[in-house]
Amino acid sequence: MMSRFLIFSLLLATCLIAFASDPSPLQDFCVADLNSPVFVNGVVCKDPNLVQADDFLFRGLNIVGDTSNALGSNVTAVTVAQLPGLNTLGISLARIDFAPWGINPPHTHPRASEVLTVIEGCLLVGFVTSNPENRLITKILVKGDVFVFPQGLIHFQKNIGNECALALAGLSSQNPGVITIANAVFGSNPDIDPKILAKAFRVDVNVIEEIQSKF
Ligand SMILES: *[C@@H]1O[C@H](CO)[C@@H](O)[C@H](O)[C@H]1NC(C)=O
């Protein structure tokens, strides 16, 4: 009985490890060769003998993102695309700047959990659990607070102050991806048939068409 339980627990743990983040590396590093024409799961490794210290370096995360846009926020991502040394390591980083009352709109990272810390300002944050509960888990964060958004769940942040706010987010993928809900649903290319969205959102087709015209 006991051993069966142990085997089950081990299997469960293995599954959790396998699916919680990017696959584990099988060598010290696999610096991304971003010019390789070969498609693999991740990015092809550069010859380790040609790897330089700069391959593990990104400079400029001190630079404030320009938040003069409709949302009042700016995300500066440091993923494998900006920092080739992240390839196969299952982590990345983002700087998020907020204008006063700016928002980082509801979005999800298909491949990563996110742990966010507030460096400056005060943020209202939240995520929604999956169907059928769709429970909103929300919190007001101040400087120094750390909050986690579990993998795949829709989440958002809002600056609830008259000052600019700054947050740093760690992500459990070298390439977390982002699906901004409004853009994906109302701004896809080509458009999703407005009749489908009208039923899904329980409004008239013209309401959908008006929203689509803004994206
Ligand atoms: C974010 O800030 C950078 C640097 O100022 C700027 O180049 C970029 O256009 C901004 N992005 C948005 C969405 O405003």
Side-chain angles (χ1 to χ4, degrees):
M1 237 4 225
M2 191 57 196
S3 71
R4 221 182 270 173
F5 176 73
L6 269 176
I7 290 168
F8 175 75
S9 307
L10 270 173
L11 276 174
L12 189 66
T14 312
C15 292
L16 290 177
I17 290 163
F19 294 122
S21 61
D22 292 352
S24 302
L26 303 174
Q27 62 280 305
D28 280 353
F29 51 76
C30 164
V31 169
D33 177 356
L34 296 172
N35 298 317
S36 170
V38 179
F39 293 95
V40 295
N41 186 24
V43 187
V44 168
C45 308
K46 193 171 165 178
D47 179 347
N49 294 316
L50 301 178
V51 162
Q52 303 293 326
D54 278 352
D55 290 322
F56 301 94
L57 172 72
F58 173 91
R59 282 203 163 118
L61 208 58
N62 59 314
I63 297 168
V64 182
D66 180 0
T67 58
S68 58
N69 51 55
L71 297 169
S73 71
N74 192 310
V75 179
T76 309
V78 187
T79 70
V80 70
Q82 292 80 26
L83 177 46
L86 284 176
N87 195 35
T88 74
L89 298 185
I91 51 170
S92 56
L93 189 66
R95 172 190 175 119
I96 311 157
D97 288 287
F98 298 88
W101 308 101
I103 66 156
N104 187 11
H107 65 279
T108 163
H109 304 291
R111 290 175 291 278
S113 296
E114 172 175 338
V115 59
L116 177 136
T117 188
V118 178
I119 307 293
E120 282 302 336
C122 194
L123 296 180
L124 170 71
V125 304
F127 67 84
V128 178
T129 67
S130 60
N131 291 345
E133 292 83 10
N134 295 141
R135 177 178 167 206
L136 174 65
I137 310 260
T138 183
K139 198 74 191 166
I140 289 173
L141 307 183
V142 297
K143 188 170 173 166
D145 287 354
V146 180
F147 197 81
V148 62
F149 304 106
Q151 179 159 355
L153 300 187
I154 294 175
H155 59 281
F156 60 86
Q157 297 109 28
K158 179 183 184 181
N159 181 2
I160 49 168
N162 288 316
E163 309 289 317
C164 289
L166 169 62
L168 281 180
L171 295 129
S172 62
S173 171
Q174 66 177 34
N175 180 26
V178 59
I179 300 169
T180 305
I181 306 307
N183 302 35
V185 174
F186 296 105
S188 66
N189 185 20
D191 277 341
I192 299 175
D193 183 343
K195 290 197 281 296
I196 293 174
L197 294 180
K199 274 208 171 167
F201 285 84
R202 303 177 202 185
V203 294
D204 288 339
V205 170
N206 59 340
V207 175
I208 298 297
E209 283 167 347
E210 192 200 334
I211 301 176
Q212 281 176 330
S213 72
K214 295 178 198 288
F215 285 88

